[in-house]
Amino acid sequence: MKVISAEKKLCLSCMEEHEVKRVEVQEENVFKGVTVNYPARYEYCNRTDEFLTYDDSLITNDLAFKDAYRERVGLLTSREIVGIRKMYGVSQKDFCAILGWGSSTINRYENYQVQGVAHNDILRKLADDPKWFMELLNRAKDRLPQKAYLKYLGNAKEYYRLKQDEYARAHIETVHMKFDGDRILAGNTDLNLDKVVEVVGYLAQNIADLFLVKLLKMLWYSDSLHFKRYKRAISGLVYVALPMGAVPDAYKSLLLLEGIEYDEMQCNENISFRFKAPADFEIRFLSDTEIQVLDEVIERFKCHSGRDMVVAMHLEEAYKNTPENQPISYQYAESLSV
Ligand SMILES: [Zn+2]
């Protein structure tokens, strides 16, 4: 028996005034044939040795019981359901409307009723998939107040943005996993996406028109030069030899990372990305020697066009000696033209 608090007051068990303790005890109960243990709270009279419920402890004890059951059978707990709803900042009623459920369903799940597996799966998917939430939200648009709809949409978009970074990181890491242990392909360093984001920000901050082709080549030059000097690349990215030169494996996912920013520009028929440093850009992960190397690469290539970069790349031993679509080894760093 754990004591939560104590207060001198009229005891409703012995009907006398004395110090009454609020306590937590472990209880055992059976729900749908499953025996579970859970913490329950009571007021305790040490004179009658009796436990009494108080305020809404009957309700909260029942909820603790149901949540213990839910945890035991792998269902979302009431708190987790509240968490998913709050993630999108939605009211109970609107959440039901978005899901197409009866208007008090969520209220019941959050307070006393155990949800079935089907509803549980839907809630779990919502927690992981803001894009799907936006689809459901859109479907329910006419049933929601305009202001609320816009608020929920904003929350979902923000969450999606965060998720996107998570997805992109996971993808880049998975792709790089296949090179695991091959130090000469990864530049003798572990993949560090925080540094990648920072290198892109730093290059963008210091180069006026930084488009994708140039950026990707500059990443390779930066890593290669750092390897040449210190036997260790900056980012841990593995680069592949494409016709246009060196490109980090899974580079498309790099563009989705939080902190990598660009404007989309229409050039003739093509869309191109012009990179820019985030407004709050600051160096947190890169070392002084790494910055120094970046400065040299910037100085060398700042006036190169994307096409010039491709030409320069094609003259590098590392590129000439790597078959198309194959990873470029850092073993050629010694012969780097920079
Ligand atoms: Zn008493």
Side-chain angles (χ1 to χ4, degrees):
M1 178 160 69
K2 195 168 89 189
V3 177
I4 307 292
S5 61
E7 189 191 347
K8 193 171 180 187
K9 62 179 198 172
L10 176 70
C11 172
L12 296 174
S13 179
C14 63
M15 295 314 281
E16 281 178 45
E17 191 171 296
H18 67 87
E19 191 185 66
V20 177
K21 290 187 170 76
R22 287 194 173 176
V23 298
E24 189 176 281
V25 293
Q26 285 297 314
E27 293 202 327
E28 191 177 278
N29 211 335
V30 180
F31 190 84
K32 292 190 172 174
V34 178
T35 306
V36 291
N37 290 287
Y38 57 95
R41 292 189 172 193
Y42 297 99
E43 278 182 352
Y44 175 67
C45 173
N46 53 3
R47 303 184 180 184
T48 61
D49 195 27
E50 194 178 16
F51 292 91
L52 295 175
T53 55
Y54 61 90
D55 302 342
D56 58 355
S57 76
L58 193 64
I59 295 166
T60 53
N61 289 347
D62 179 65
L63 193 60
F65 168 43
K66 306 269 175 67
D67 277 341
Y69 167 80
R70 292 197 251 215
E71 259 178 48
R72 191 60 204 288
V73 300
L75 293 171
L76 294 163
T77 64
S78 58
R79 208 173 306 126
E80 287 171 323
I81 295 175
V82 174
I84 293 166
R85 181 170 63 77
K86 294 250 169 98
M87 210 154 81
Y88 296 107
V90 185
S91 71
Q92 291 180 332
K93 192 166 144 272
D94 287 348
F95 205 27
C96 292
I98 291 164
L99 288 162
W101 295 353
S103 61
S104 63
T105 311
I106 285 292
N107 181 33
R108 293 202 309 272
Y109 292 166
E110 290 183 7
N111 290 295
Y112 57 90
Q113 189 185 345
V114 174
Q115 72 279 14
V117 174
H119 276 189
N120 192 77
D121 287 347
I122 289 170
L123 290 169
R124 210 182 271 290
K125 183 168 160 61
L126 273 190
D128 261 352
D129 195 346
K131 213 168 163 215
W132 190 51
F133 175 84
M134 285 191 262
E135 280 171 39
L136 297 185
L137 181 65
N138 214 33
R139 207 177 58 186
K141 191 177 175 179
D142 296 338
R143 276 170 282 147
L144 299 168
Q146 166 83 352
K147 207 175 148 194
Y149 167 80
L150 290 174
K151 186 184 111 180
Y152 304 155
L153 185 64
N155 293 342
K157 277 186 180 166
E158 171 68 9
Y159 181 44
Y160 180 66
R161 206 171 52 77
L162 295 175
K163 272 302 229 196
Q164 186 172 267
D165 181 66
E166 199 182 306
Y167 294 145
R169 280 177 182 258
H171 178 235
I172 299 164
E173 280 160 11
T174 308
V175 166
H176 279 74
M177 238 178 251
K178 67 174 182 255
F179 304 112
D180 207 26
D182 202 331
R183 310 301 287 176
I184 198 64
L185 291 181
N188 196 28
T189 191
D190 293 330
L191 180 64
N192 186 326
L193 292 175
D194 293 326
K195 283 191 180 182
V196 172
V197 170
E198 228 167 78
V199 170
V200 174
Y202 191 76
L203 294 175
Q205 193 176 47
N206 288 286
I207 293 175
D209 281 316
L210 184 60
F211 289 94
L212 185 61
V213 170
K214 183 166 174 176
L215 168 68
L216 298 178
K217 306 295 161 282
M218 289 191 80
L219 286 176
W220 180 78
Y221 272 106
S222 305
D223 271 327
S224 295
L225 182 58
H226 199 274
F227 186 92
K228 183 180 179 181
R229 296 267 166 78
Y230 305 103
K231 297 285 167 268
R232 185 176 59 76
I234 299 171
S235 69
L237 286 169
V238 173
Y239 295 84
V240 177
L242 293 190
M244 300 275 276
V247 167
D249 212 353
Y251 79 92
K252 283 181 183 157
S253 291
L254 286 183
L255 304 183
L256 301 174
L257 292 176
E258 175 87 22
I260 292 190
E261 295 186 9
Y262 50 81
D263 294 318
E264 288 183 36
M265 329 257 296
Q266 178 90 37
C267 295
N268 303 323
E269 251 124 80
N270 304 316
I271 299 286
S272 43
F273 304 127
R274 187 166 69 187
F275 291 83
K276 56 184 181 183
D280 56 353
F281 181 72
E282 55 171 327
I283 298 293
R284 289 190 297 145
F285 299 102
L286 294 170
S287 68
D288 290 346
T289 57
E290 288 165 342
I291 293 290
Q292 212 182 321
V293 162
L294 292 180
D295 285 338
E296 280 181 57
V297 170
I298 290 165
E299 192 50 39
R300 168 73 186 268
F301 294 111
K302 65 182 175 196
C303 297
H304 276 53
S305 66
R307 190 187 296 267
D308 296 337
M309 293 299 296
V310 173
V311 171
M313 179 84 225
H314 282 176
L315 295 172
E316 298 292 345
E317 287 301 318
Y319 185 76
K320 287 196 280 188
N321 287 296
T322 307
E324 202 171 308
N325 294 321
Q326 292 302 307
I328 302 174
S329 168
Y330 278 92
Q331 73 188 68
Y332 304 105
E334 276 310 315
S335 61
L336 192 73
S337 68
V338 183

